[in-house]
Amino acid sequence: GQQVMQIPQYQHVQEGEDFTTYCNSSTTLSNIQWYKQRPGGHPVFLIQLVKSGEVKKQKRLTFQFGEAKKNSSLHITATQTTDVGTYFCAGPNSGYALNFGKGTSLLVTP
Amino acid sequence: DTGVSQNPRHKITKRGQNVTFRCDPISEHNRLYWYRQTLGQGPEFLTYFQNEAQLEKSRLLSDRFSAERPKGSFSTLEIQRTEQGDSAMYLCASSSDGLAGLSEQFFGPGTRLTVL
């Protein structure tokens, strides 16, 4: 079945540094979603990408969907301590539920 | 608060006991999902409802697991004869119909199950 893999598993940065997490699927995705989970919290939706090569920005966050719709990335410019958490990408399974990657845990030190 | 709610938030049980969790989705959402999350992993899909119909079940969902959504509103997830391997956070999410069939999922706070 479809698997979604994320790298790196962990990332520790100094506040102000940039951060990128990558997501790769074994199959072509119709769309991909990104979620953020703060420590002790639940996943919160960030964005959905649908079109091949799509790029979307939310303030310091930039999301990309690959041309082949098999990979995606999330880039955070000038990280802040509020960016701490685990970032998950998720692709649709055969129905409407999601297959999540294992996530990238981001730690930001001041 | 009009978000997704789950009860109880924590459940400690002994191996072999049955447990039931409840999820109240956002009221206008017709889709409801159950996921399980263990430490260091992403949420794993368990089952999905469209209104009251259970349309999809993961192979992870053994015969000891059953879920219902009797009136298309709240849902319950029951685990019979719990095992230590069932210890996890059980997350419920809901969504409305979306473009291309997929839309943002709103997650509840989860029920943390510990099986002793």
Side-chain angles (χ1 to χ4, degrees), chain B residues 28-54:
Chain B
E28 60 267 28
H29 285 178
N30 58 345
R31 296 179 185 169
L32 187 147
Y33 316 80
W34 285 98
Y35 293 87
R36 180 173 65 189
Q37 187 176 27
T38 53
L39 194 63
Q41 302 293 318
E44 295 177 298
F45 168 68
L46 293 178
T47 190
Y48 153 68
F49 290 84
Q50 176 98 14
N51 299 310
E52 66 275 8
Q54 188 175 18

PDB file of all heavy atoms in Angstrom, chain B residues 28-54:
ATOM      1  N   GLU B  28     -21.452  19.954  12.114  1.00  0.00           N
ATOM      2  CA  GLU B  28     -21.844  19.913  10.711  1.00  0.00           C
ATOM      3  C   GLU B  28     -20.995  18.970   9.868  1.00  0.00           C
ATOM      4  O   GLU B  28     -21.204  18.843   8.655  1.00  0.00           O
ATOM      5  CB  GLU B  28     -21.804  21.320  10.102  1.00  0.00           C
ATOM      6  CG  GLU B  28     -20.438  21.975  10.140  1.00  0.00           C
ATOM      7  CD  GLU B  28     -20.226  22.838  11.357  1.00  0.00           C
ATOM      8  OE1 GLU B  28     -20.852  22.553  12.413  1.00  0.00           O
ATOM      9  OE2 GLU B  28     -19.429  23.789  11.276  1.00  0.00           O
ATOM     10  N   HIS B  29     -20.030  18.291  10.497  1.00  0.00           N
ATOM     11  CA  HIS B  29     -19.152  17.393   9.753  1.00  0.00           C
ATOM     12  C   HIS B  29     -19.801  16.024   9.570  1.00  0.00           C
ATOM     13  O   HIS B  29     -20.246  15.408  10.534  1.00  0.00           O
ATOM     14  CB  HIS B  29     -17.816  17.236  10.479  1.00  0.00           C
ATOM     15  CG  HIS B  29     -16.933  18.425  10.352  1.00  0.00           C
ATOM     16  ND1 HIS B  29     -15.707  18.517  10.966  1.00  0.00           N
ATOM     17  CD2 HIS B  29     -17.094  19.580   9.659  1.00  0.00           C
ATOM     18  CE1 HIS B  29     -15.151  19.674  10.668  1.00  0.00           C
ATOM     19  NE2 HIS B  29     -15.979  20.342   9.876  1.00  0.00           N
ATOM     20  N   ASN B  30     -19.819  15.532   8.339  1.00  0.00           N
ATOM     21  CA  ASN B  30     -20.412  14.228   8.097  1.00  0.00           C
ATOM     22  C   ASN B  30     -19.384  13.099   8.109  1.00  0.00           C
ATOM     23  O   ASN B  30     -19.748  11.933   8.145  1.00  0.00           O
ATOM     24  CB  ASN B  30     -21.186  14.232   6.762  1.00  0.00           C
ATOM     25  CG  ASN B  30     -20.305  14.597   5.583  1.00  0.00           C
ATOM     26  OD1 ASN B  30     -19.206  15.117   5.748  1.00  0.00           O
ATOM     27  ND2 ASN B  30     -20.780  14.312   4.386  1.00  0.00           N
ATOM     28  N   ARG B  31     -18.105  13.423   8.084  1.00  0.00           N
ATOM     29  CA  ARG B  31     -17.066  12.391   8.081  1.00  0.00           C
ATOM     30  C   ARG B  31     -16.387  12.336   9.447  1.00  0.00           C
ATOM     31  O   ARG B  31     -16.072  13.361  10.031  1.00  0.00           O
ATOM     32  CB  ARG B  31     -16.028  12.666   6.996  1.00  0.00           C
ATOM     33  CG  ARG B  31     -16.593  12.614   5.597  1.00  0.00           C
ATOM     34  CD  ARG B  31     -15.539  12.921   4.570  1.00  0.00           C
ATOM     35  NE  ARG B  31     -16.121  12.994   3.233  1.00  0.00           N
ATOM     36  CZ  ARG B  31     -15.480  13.456   2.167  1.00  0.00           C
ATOM     37  NH1 ARG B  31     -14.230  13.872   2.274  1.00  0.00           N
ATOM     38  NH2 ARG B  31     -16.078  13.484   1.000  1.00  0.00           N
ATOM     39  N   LEU B  32     -16.160  11.134   9.903  1.00  0.00           N
ATOM     40  CA  LEU B  32     -15.522  10.936  11.196  1.00  0.00           C
ATOM     41  C   LEU B  32     -14.503   9.820  11.073  1.00  0.00           C
ATOM     42  O   LEU B  32     -14.759   8.791  10.447  1.00  0.00           O
ATOM     43  CB  LEU B  32     -16.577  10.584  12.261  1.00  0.00           C
ATOM     44  CG  LEU B  32     -16.098  10.495  13.706  1.00  0.00           C
ATOM     45  CD1 LEU B  32     -17.193  10.953  14.663  1.00  0.00           C
ATOM     46  CD2 LEU B  32     -15.618   9.104  14.069  1.00  0.00           C
ATOM     47  N   TYR B  33     -13.343  10.035  11.676  1.00  0.00           N
ATOM     48  CA  TYR B  33     -12.213   9.116  11.560  1.00  0.00           C
ATOM     49  C   TYR B  33     -11.672   8.778  12.950  1.00  0.00           C
ATOM     50  O   TYR B  33     -11.660   9.629  13.844  1.00  0.00           O
ATOM     51  CB  TYR B  33     -11.064   9.754  10.767  1.00  0.00           C
ATOM     52  CG  TYR B  33     -11.458  10.493   9.520  1.00  0.00           C
ATOM     53  CD1 TYR B  33     -11.955  11.794   9.593  1.00  0.00           C
ATOM     54  CD2 TYR B  33     -11.318   9.912   8.266  1.00  0.00           C
ATOM     55  CE1 TYR B  33     -12.307  12.490   8.453  1.00  0.00           C
ATOM     56  CE2 TYR B  33     -11.667  10.609   7.117  1.00  0.00           C
ATOM     57  CZ  TYR B  33     -12.163  11.893   7.223  1.00  0.00           C
ATOM     58  OH  TYR B  33     -12.514  12.584   6.077  1.00  0.00           O
ATOM     59  N   TRP B  34     -11.199   7.554  13.082  1.00  0.00           N
ATOM     60  CA  TRP B  34     -10.448   7.154  14.267  1.00  0.00           C
ATOM     61  C   TRP B  34      -9.026   6.800  13.835  1.00  0.00           C
ATOM     62  O   TRP B  34      -8.818   6.092  12.828  1.00  0.00           O
ATOM     63  CB  TRP B  34     -11.091   5.944  14.950  1.00  0.00           C
ATOM     64  CG  TRP B  34     -12.331   6.229  15.715  1.00  0.00           C
ATOM     65  CD1 TRP B  34     -13.627   6.063  15.311  1.00  0.00           C
ATOM     66  CD2 TRP B  34     -12.411   6.727  17.062  1.00  0.00           C
ATOM     67  NE1 TRP B  34     -14.499   6.427  16.299  1.00  0.00           N
ATOM     68  CE2 TRP B  34     -13.783   6.834  17.394  1.00  0.00           C
ATOM     69  CE3 TRP B  34     -11.463   7.088  18.026  1.00  0.00           C
ATOM     70  CZ2 TRP B  34     -14.228   7.277  18.643  1.00  0.00           C
ATOM     71  CZ3 TRP B  34     -11.902   7.532  19.249  1.00  0.00           C
ATOM     72  CH2 TRP B  34     -13.266   7.617  19.551  1.00  0.00           C
ATOM     73  N   TYR B  35      -8.075   7.312  14.625  1.00  0.00           N
ATOM     74  CA  TYR B  35      -6.669   7.012  14.417  1.00  0.00           C
ATOM     75  C   TYR B  35      -6.063   6.558  15.747  1.00  0.00           C
ATOM     76  O   TYR B  35      -6.582   6.879  16.815  1.00  0.00           O
ATOM     77  CB  TYR B  35      -5.897   8.253  13.960  1.00  0.00           C
ATOM     78  CG  TYR B  35      -6.253   8.776  12.592  1.00  0.00           C
ATOM     79  CD1 TYR B  35      -7.304   9.678  12.426  1.00  0.00           C
ATOM     80  CD2 TYR B  35      -5.521   8.398  11.468  1.00  0.00           C
ATOM     81  CE1 TYR B  35      -7.629  10.184  11.162  1.00  0.00           C
ATOM     82  CE2 TYR B  35      -5.833   8.895  10.205  1.00  0.00           C
ATOM     83  CZ  TYR B  35      -6.888   9.784  10.074  1.00  0.00           C
ATOM     84  OH  TYR B  35      -7.203  10.281   8.820  1.00  0.00           O
ATOM     85  N   ARG B  36      -4.948   5.877  15.657  1.00  0.00           N
ATOM     86  CA  ARG B  36      -4.187   5.497  16.843  1.00  0.00           C
ATOM     87  C   ARG B  36      -2.771   6.030  16.670  1.00  0.00           C
ATOM     88  O   ARG B  36      -2.198   5.924  15.571  1.00  0.00           O
ATOM     89  CB  ARG B  36      -4.164   3.975  17.001  1.00  0.00           C
ATOM     90  CG  ARG B  36      -3.393   3.489  18.197  1.00  0.00           C
ATOM     91  CD  ARG B  36      -3.573   1.994  18.373  1.00  0.00           C
ATOM     92  NE  ARG B  36      -3.005   1.230  17.274  1.00  0.00           N
ATOM     93  CZ  ARG B  36      -3.190  -0.069  17.110  1.00  0.00           C
ATOM     94  NH1 ARG B  36      -3.941  -0.744  17.964  1.00  0.00           N
ATOM     95  NH2 ARG B  36      -2.642  -0.701  16.095  1.00  0.00           N
ATOM     96  N   GLN B  37      -2.237   6.599  17.753  1.00  0.00           N
ATOM     97  CA  GLN B  37      -0.884   7.147  17.676  1.00  0.00           C
ATOM     98  C   GLN B  37      -0.056   6.657  18.856  1.00  0.00           C
ATOM     99  O   GLN B  37      -0.471   6.777  20.003  1.00  0.00           O
ATOM    100  CB  GLN B  37      -0.915   8.679  17.668  1.00  0.00           C
ATOM    101  CG  GLN B  37       0.453   9.310  17.429  1.00  0.00           C
ATOM    102  CD  GLN B  37       0.391  10.821  17.329  1.00  0.00           C
ATOM    103  OE1 GLN B  37      -0.492  11.468  17.888  1.00  0.00           O
ATOM    104  NE2 GLN B  37       1.337  11.405  16.593  1.00  0.00           N
ATOM    105  N   THR B  38       1.104   6.100  18.558  1.00  0.00           N
ATOM    106  CA  THR B  38       2.056   5.712  19.591  1.00  0.00           C
ATOM    107  C   THR B  38       3.251   6.650  19.536  1.00  0.00           C
ATOM    108  O   THR B  38       3.448   7.387  18.565  1.00  0.00           O
ATOM    109  CB  THR B  38       2.506   4.260  19.416  1.00  0.00           C
ATOM    110  OG1 THR B  38       2.980   4.088  18.071  1.00  0.00           O
ATOM    111  CG2 THR B  38       1.346   3.299  19.658  1.00  0.00           C
ATOM    112  N   LEU B  39       4.061   6.609  20.583  1.00  0.00           N
ATOM    113  CA  LEU B  39       5.149   7.559  20.741  1.00  0.00           C
ATOM    114  C   LEU B  39       6.110   7.494  19.558  1.00  0.00           C
ATOM    115  O   LEU B  39       6.552   6.415  19.151  1.00  0.00           O
ATOM    116  CB  LEU B  39       5.898   7.263  22.043  1.00  0.00           C
ATOM    117  CG  LEU B  39       6.845   8.349  22.526  1.00  0.00           C
ATOM    118  CD1 LEU B  39       6.086   9.621  22.842  1.00  0.00           C
ATOM    119  CD2 LEU B  39       7.617   7.868  23.748  1.00  0.00           C
ATOM    120  N   GLY B  40       6.390   8.650  18.988  1.00  0.00           N
ATOM    121  CA  GLY B  40       7.352   8.723  17.890  1.00  0.00           C
ATOM    122  C   GLY B  40       6.800   8.340  16.538  1.00  0.00           C
ATOM    123  O   GLY B  40       7.549   8.249  15.566  1.00  0.00           O
ATOM    124  N   GLN B  41       5.493   8.114  16.481  1.00  0.00           N
ATOM    125  CA  GLN B  41       4.871   7.711  15.215  1.00  0.00           C
ATOM    126  C   GLN B  41       3.794   8.714  14.815  1.00  0.00           C
ATOM    127  O   GLN B  41       3.278   9.462  15.643  1.00  0.00           O
ATOM    128  CB  GLN B  41       4.226   6.329  15.351  1.00  0.00           C
ATOM    129  CG  GLN B  41       5.169   5.230  15.779  1.00  0.00           C
ATOM    130  CD  GLN B  41       6.220   4.921  14.738  1.00  0.00           C
ATOM    131  OE1 GLN B  41       5.928   4.862  13.542  1.00  0.00           O
ATOM    132  NE2 GLN B  41       7.449   4.738  15.179  1.00  0.00           N
ATOM    133  N   GLY B  42       3.464   8.703  13.541  1.00  0.00           N
ATOM    134  CA  GLY B  42       2.339   9.482  13.101  1.00  0.00           C
ATOM    135  C   GLY B  42       1.041   8.754  13.390  1.00  0.00           C
ATOM    136  O   GLY B  42       1.040   7.557  13.689  1.00  0.00           O
ATOM    137  N   PRO B  43      -0.067   9.443  13.323  1.00  0.00           N
ATOM    138  CA  PRO B  43      -1.359   8.770  13.525  1.00  0.00           C
ATOM    139  C   PRO B  43      -1.550   7.661  12.499  1.00  0.00           C
ATOM    140  O   PRO B  43      -1.242   7.838  11.316  1.00  0.00           O
ATOM    141  CB  PRO B  43      -2.376   9.898  13.317  1.00  0.00           C
ATOM    142  CG  PRO B  43      -1.624  11.158  13.605  1.00  0.00           C
ATOM    143  CD  PRO B  43      -0.234  10.890  13.128  1.00  0.00           C
ATOM    144  N   GLU B  44      -2.063   6.516  12.954  1.00  0.00           N
ATOM    145  CA  GLU B  44      -2.366   5.387  12.072  1.00  0.00           C
ATOM    146  C   GLU B  44      -3.875   5.262  11.931  1.00  0.00           C
ATOM    147  O   GLU B  44      -4.589   5.185  12.939  1.00  0.00           O
ATOM    148  CB  GLU B  44      -1.812   4.093  12.652  1.00  0.00           C
ATOM    149  CG  GLU B  44      -0.306   4.024  12.735  1.00  0.00           C
ATOM    150  CD  GLU B  44       0.147   2.740  13.392  1.00  0.00           C
ATOM    151  OE1 GLU B  44      -0.195   2.534  14.574  1.00  0.00           O
ATOM    152  OE2 GLU B  44       0.823   1.938  12.739  1.00  0.00           O
ATOM    153  N   PHE B  45      -4.340   5.213  10.730  1.00  0.00           N
ATOM    154  CA  PHE B  45      -5.770   5.137  10.446  1.00  0.00           C
ATOM    155  C   PHE B  45      -6.356   3.833  10.968  1.00  0.00           C
ATOM    156  O   PHE B  45      -5.784   2.759  10.771  1.00  0.00           O
ATOM    157  CB  PHE B  45      -5.995   5.245   8.941  1.00  0.00           C
ATOM    158  CG  PHE B  45      -7.380   4.895   8.498  1.00  0.00           C
ATOM    159  CD1 PHE B  45      -8.445   5.699   8.837  1.00  0.00           C
ATOM    160  CD2 PHE B  45      -7.621   3.749   7.760  1.00  0.00           C
ATOM    161  CE1 PHE B  45      -9.736   5.379   8.431  1.00  0.00           C
ATOM    162  CE2 PHE B  45      -8.893   3.420   7.346  1.00  0.00           C
ATOM    163  CZ  PHE B  45      -9.962   4.235   7.682  1.00  0.00           C
ATOM    164  N   LEU B  46      -7.512   3.933  11.619  1.00  0.00           N
ATOM    165  CA  LEU B  46      -8.228   2.751  12.094  1.00  0.00           C
ATOM    166  C   LEU B  46      -9.527   2.533  11.312  1.00  0.00           C
ATOM    167  O   LEU B  46      -9.757   1.467  10.763  1.00  0.00           O
ATOM    168  CB  LEU B  46      -8.555   2.879  13.585  1.00  0.00           C
ATOM    169  CG  LEU B  46      -7.376   2.878  14.546  1.00  0.00           C
ATOM    170  CD1 LEU B  46      -7.864   3.064  15.975  1.00  0.00           C
ATOM    171  CD2 LEU B  46      -6.567   1.587  14.417  1.00  0.00           C
ATOM    172  N   THR B  47     -10.389   3.567  11.301  1.00  0.00           N
ATOM    173  CA  THR B  47     -11.666   3.407  10.630  1.00  0.00           C
ATOM    174  C   THR B  47     -12.261   4.761  10.301  1.00  0.00           C
ATOM    175  O   THR B  47     -11.855   5.784  10.845  1.00  0.00           O
ATOM    176  CB  THR B  47     -12.644   2.577  11.490  1.00  0.00           C
ATOM    177  OG1 THR B  47     -13.812   2.243  10.724  1.00  0.00           O
ATOM    178  CG2 THR B  47     -13.068   3.342  12.744  1.00  0.00           C
ATOM    179  N   TYR B  48     -13.249   4.745   9.389  1.00  0.00           N
ATOM    180  CA  TYR B  48     -13.836   5.985   8.873  1.00  0.00           C
ATOM    181  C   TYR B  48     -15.335   5.815   8.673  1.00  0.00           C
ATOM    182  O   TYR B  48     -15.795   4.766   8.222  1.00  0.00           O
ATOM    183  CB  TYR B  48     -13.129   6.323   7.555  1.00  0.00           C
ATOM    184  CG  TYR B  48     -13.921   7.115   6.563  1.00  0.00           C
ATOM    185  CD1 TYR B  48     -14.256   8.438   6.828  1.00  0.00           C
ATOM    186  CD2 TYR B  48     -14.316   6.566   5.353  1.00  0.00           C
ATOM    187  CE1 TYR B  48     -14.977   9.179   5.913  1.00  0.00           C
ATOM    188  CE2 TYR B  48     -15.036   7.293   4.434  1.00  0.00           C
ATOM    189  CZ  TYR B  48     -15.369   8.603   4.703  1.00  0.00           C
ATOM    190  OH  TYR B  48     -16.085   9.332   3.803  1.00  0.00           O
ATOM    191  N   PHE B  49     -16.077   6.846   9.048  1.00  0.00           N
ATOM    192  CA  PHE B  49     -17.535   6.886   8.870  1.00  0.00           C
ATOM    193  C   PHE B  49     -17.919   8.047   7.962  1.00  0.00           C
ATOM    194  O   PHE B  49     -17.382   9.157   8.084  1.00  0.00           O
ATOM    195  CB  PHE B  49     -18.241   7.094  10.213  1.00  0.00           C
ATOM    196  CG  PHE B  49     -18.167   5.926  11.140  1.00  0.00           C
ATOM    197  CD1 PHE B  49     -17.065   5.737  11.970  1.00  0.00           C
ATOM    198  CD2 PHE B  49     -19.198   4.998  11.197  1.00  0.00           C
ATOM    199  CE1 PHE B  49     -16.997   4.667  12.830  1.00  0.00           C
ATOM    200  CE2 PHE B  49     -19.141   3.914  12.066  1.00  0.00           C
ATOM    201  CZ  PHE B  49     -18.030   3.754  12.873  1.00  0.00           C
ATOM    202  N   GLN B  50     -18.854   7.782   7.105  1.00  0.00           N
ATOM    203  CA  GLN B  50     -19.541   8.835   6.352  1.00  0.00           C
ATOM    204  C   GLN B  50     -20.975   8.813   6.870  1.00  0.00           C
ATOM    205  O   GLN B  50     -21.715   7.854   6.631  1.00  0.00           O
ATOM    206  CB  GLN B  50     -19.527   8.554   4.847  1.00  0.00           C
ATOM    207  CG  GLN B  50     -20.304   9.555   4.029  1.00  0.00           C
ATOM    208  CD  GLN B  50     -19.419  10.634   3.420  1.00  0.00           C
ATOM    209  OE1 GLN B  50     -18.204  10.512   3.379  1.00  0.00           O
ATOM    210  NE2 GLN B  50     -20.035  11.688   2.929  1.00  0.00           N
ATOM    211  N   ASN B  51     -21.329   9.848   7.616  1.00  0.00           N
ATOM    212  CA  ASN B  51     -22.597   9.842   8.373  1.00  0.00           C
ATOM    213  C   ASN B  51     -22.599   8.618   9.287  1.00  0.00           C
ATOM    214  O   ASN B  51     -21.655   8.436  10.025  1.00  0.00           O
ATOM    215  CB  ASN B  51     -23.782   9.881   7.414  1.00  0.00           C
ATOM    216  CG  ASN B  51     -23.752  11.148   6.574  1.00  0.00           C
ATOM    217  OD1 ASN B  51     -23.607  12.251   7.102  1.00  0.00           O
ATOM    218  ND2 ASN B  51     -23.873  10.996   5.256  1.00  0.00           N
ATOM    219  N   GLU B  52     -23.623   7.772   9.216  1.00  0.00           N
ATOM    220  CA  GLU B  52     -23.648   6.624  10.126  1.00  0.00           C
ATOM    221  C   GLU B  52     -23.012   5.379   9.536  1.00  0.00           C
ATOM    222  O   GLU B  52     -22.870   4.363  10.229  1.00  0.00           O
ATOM    223  CB  GLU B  52     -25.090   6.312  10.543  1.00  0.00           C
ATOM    224  CG  GLU B  52     -25.994   5.831   9.416  1.00  0.00           C
ATOM    225  CD  GLU B  52     -26.602   6.976   8.631  1.00  0.00           C
ATOM    226  OE1 GLU B  52     -26.206   8.127   8.853  1.00  0.00           O
ATOM    227  OE2 GLU B  52     -27.474   6.698   7.785  1.00  0.00           O
ATOM    228  N   ALA B  53     -22.619   5.433   8.293  1.00  0.00           N
ATOM    229  CA  ALA B  53     -22.060   4.259   7.618  1.00  0.00           C
ATOM    230  C   ALA B  53     -20.551   4.148   7.820  1.00  0.00           C
ATOM    231  O   ALA B  53     -19.801   5.086   7.544  1.00  0.00           O
ATOM    232  CB  ALA B  53     -22.376   4.327   6.129  1.00  0.00           C
ATOM    233  N   GLN B  54     -20.125   2.974   8.292  1.00  0.00           N
ATOM    234  CA  GLN B  54     -18.698   2.713   8.435  1.00  0.00           C
ATOM    235  C   GLN B  54     -18.181   2.234   7.083  1.00  0.00           C
ATOM    236  O   GLN B  54     -18.427   1.099   6.677  1.00  0.00           O
ATOM    237  CB  GLN B  54     -18.448   1.654   9.524  1.00  0.00           C
ATOM    238  CG  GLN B  54     -16.989   1.461   9.857  1.00  0.00           C
ATOM    239  CD  GLN B  54     -16.768   0.501  11.030  1.00  0.00           C
ATOM    240  OE1 GLN B  54     -17.661  -0.267  11.396  1.00  0.00           O
ATOM    241  NE2 GLN B  54     -15.614   0.538  11.643  1.00  0.00           N
TER     242      GLN B  54
END
